Amino acid sequence: MKKDPTDLRPVLWREDKLIIIDQTLLPGEERYIELKNTEEVVEAIKKLRVRGAPAIGVCAAYGLYVALRERMRAGRPAGRAADAGTCFRQAFWETAAAIGAARPTAVNLRWAIARQEKVFTDAEKAGKDPEEILAALLTEAKTIHAEDEEACRQMGENGLTLLKPGMGILTHCNAGALATSRYGTCLSPIYLGEASGYGFHVYADETRPLLQGARLTAWELARAGVDVTLICDNMAQTVMRKGLIDAVCVGCDRMAANGDGANKIGTAAVAILAKEFGIPFYMFVPTSTIDLATKSGNEIQIEEREGAEIAEMWYNKPMAPAGIKTFNPAFDVTPAAYITAVVTERGIVRPPYGPGLKRIMEQYEL
Ligand code: MRU
């Protein structure tokens, strides 16, 4: 039965608990798990139980709070710390560092932790005690969560102005509800349009090696009654050549100041193909994903993951010779020159991206 796409929320704050959908089990099983401490939060982010740049940021913000709360309840760290305040401070900075380092590419993780670090520093300066600081951290996590939900809804409205009823849309990886607080970034306009009868035809790249397109995008779109066709990554050229694609819509993990955008491995190849076929390539980038401190895509650290994801995972038996050398970069950078427009919650930015992104971010600071 068709389900309301807006009810899909990968990160939940319920009865004082941090709950996530374990995305490694989808599409077979929709299981919700609680994350209670630093180890569980870090493991969930590393293993992609929670994934997608904005969702990782939201989870990290709550995760820092629950992990610190757990450490305080357990009376750690004891050690040589002189007093309760010092213990608390030490626990905060250790936890922030551990969670902040769980994955390197999506800037939302460091961005959310940096927001919590500011809350902590300001609260300490104001002379607040650990209980009050914990309360302030929880409030900030809820604010980040609510802001992301609103940003996604707004990106949907902005993105929809670029799309027309009946369009064929190619997407890569999963930048849907599962990757955010709600709605998604690049799938948000598709859900909004669908509610108004746009009748989009979405083509989802399977997205090797972790299959976010097959397991997550195809699942959440089909669940919402959107017409979705799953293709292998190496079929993008064929569907474009057949005239089935009118626009490419993808998410982003970190956009540098010059408009280069890191996203799931394989995105850049799709962008290059789109340019060849004269198809607009839209990158959906909430301001929490724009990193003006990074000048260009060359400076973005690309996560490298285990070779087993390529050689063994999903297969009944290993599909590569034992001990084969592998290279498994999880993201690539789409050069700004291949991006037709950047859709943010503050508006649509067109090239040249340097001044446009700066303007959007200054607006954000106000
Ligand atoms: O490795 P993942 O699944 O976390 O990668 C996710 C992506 O690349 C998404 O496209 C990106 O985070 C944008 S999510 C709105």
Side-chain angles (χ1 to χ4, degrees):
M1 199 186 61
K2 186 166 154 174
K3 292 210 178 163
D4 177 2
T6 67
D7 72 357
L8 189 57
R9 300 173 195 219
V11 182
L12 295 159
W13 186 252
R14 288 279 183 279
E15 295 167 7
D16 232 22
K17 293 187 177 114
L18 171 58
I19 311 284
I20 61 159
I21 300 179
D22 184 345
Q23 298 192 34
T24 62
L25 303 176
L26 290 171
E29 188 185 347
E30 195 174 331
R31 190 194 298 170
Y32 291 79
I33 56 169
E34 184 186 355
L35 304 179
K36 296 184 288 297
N37 53 45
T38 312
E39 295 70 33
E40 288 177 3
V41 172
V42 169
E43 194 267 355
I45 295 173
K46 275 188 198 292
K47 290 270 167 68
L48 275 59
R49 296 188 199 287
V50 58
R51 38 120 339 254
I56 292 171
V58 172
C59 180
Y62 283 121
L64 180 49
Y65 165 76
V66 292
L68 190 59
R69 181 181 69 180
E70 194 268 345
R71 280 184 74 164
M72 290 303 106
R73 282 179 182 165
R76 281 179 284 144
R80 291 186 301 275
D83 55 62
T86 313
C87 275
F88 185 65
R89 185 176 313 120
Q90 183 184 328
F92 175 82
W93 290 105
E94 281 174 10
T95 310
I99 296 176
R103 290 185 79 189
T105 306
V107 72
N108 302 59
L109 173 57
R110 276 304 312 158
W111 169 88
I113 294 293
R115 276 184 62 160
Q116 292 291 42
E117 287 171 352
K118 182 165 179 344
V119 167
F120 182 85
T121 313
D122 289 351
E124 261 201 331
K125 272 194 207 136
K128 297 203 167 144
D129 65 27
E131 281 307 320
E132 290 170 321
I133 298 179
L134 275 172
L137 292 171
L138 178 57
T139 302
E140 184 70 353
K142 288 181 180 170
T143 304
I144 290 172
H145 199 178
E147 281 175 9
D148 182 58
E149 183 175 325
E150 177 53 21
C152 288
R153 198 195 54 74
Q154 195 57 56
M155 258 182 291
E157 284 183 13
N158 295 343
L160 196 56
T161 64
L162 299 168
L163 306 175
K164 293 193 179 62
M167 271 187 161
I169 296 168
L170 179 70
T171 190
H172 190 77
C173 192
N174 173 267
L178 285 168
T180 63
S181 301
R182 205 174 176 188
Y183 312 110
T185 59
C186 84
L187 296 193
S188 182
I190 291 169
Y191 289 133
L192 271 187
E194 202 57 29
S196 314
Y198 269 54
F200 294 127
H201 305 287
V202 181
Y203 289 81
D205 280 346
E206 64 172 350
T207 317
R208 283 277 298 158
L210 294 185
L211 306 182
Q212 289 92 331
R215 294 188 304 106
L216 309 177
T217 298
W219 179 75
E220 67 163 88
L221 288 175
R223 177 184 182 276
V226 176
D227 175 50
V228 56
T229 304
L230 177 64
I231 61 169
C232 295
D233 296 337
N234 51 7
M235 297 168 189
Q237 189 266 0
T238 298
V239 289
M240 287 183 185
R241 189 153 181 264
K242 278 179 165 293
L244 298 171
I245 307 300
D246 301 293
V248 176
C249 294
V250 296
C252 182
D253 284 86
R254 186 186 298 240
M255 179 157 275
N258 71 342
D260 291 349
N263 192 48
K264 181 51 54 193
I265 191 75
T267 304
V270 175
I272 293 165
L273 276 177
K275 190 161 193 167
E276 184 64 27
F277 283 93
I279 296 168
F281 180 92
Y282 301 125
M283 204 168 234
F284 285 67
V285 192
T287 48
S288 57
T289 304
I290 298 173
D291 177 16
L292 295 186
T294 296
K295 287 194 189 63
S296 81
N298 296 337
E299 292 177 17
I300 298 176
Q301 187 188 343
I302 300 294
E303 176 182 13
E304 279 186 39
R305 298 181 62 87
E306 280 178 33
E309 289 178 353
I310 301 178
E312 295 172 24
M313 213 168 165
W314 317 118
Y315 298 123
N316 287 332
K317 54 183 182 182
M319 276 298 143
I324 195 75
K325 222 174 7 160
T326 53
F327 173 51
N328 185 12
F331 299 92
D332 60 25
V333 173
T334 300
Y338 291 93
I339 302 172
T340 311
V342 170
V343 181
T344 80
E345 76 275 25
R346 298 256 155 185
I348 295 171
V349 185
R350 301 247 177 205
Y353 290 116
L357 292 174
K358 192 160 173 284
R359 209 168 38 245
I360 286 278
M361 293 310 275
E362 279 166 359
Q363 197 184 337
Y364 184 65
E365 298 297 319
L366 291 177

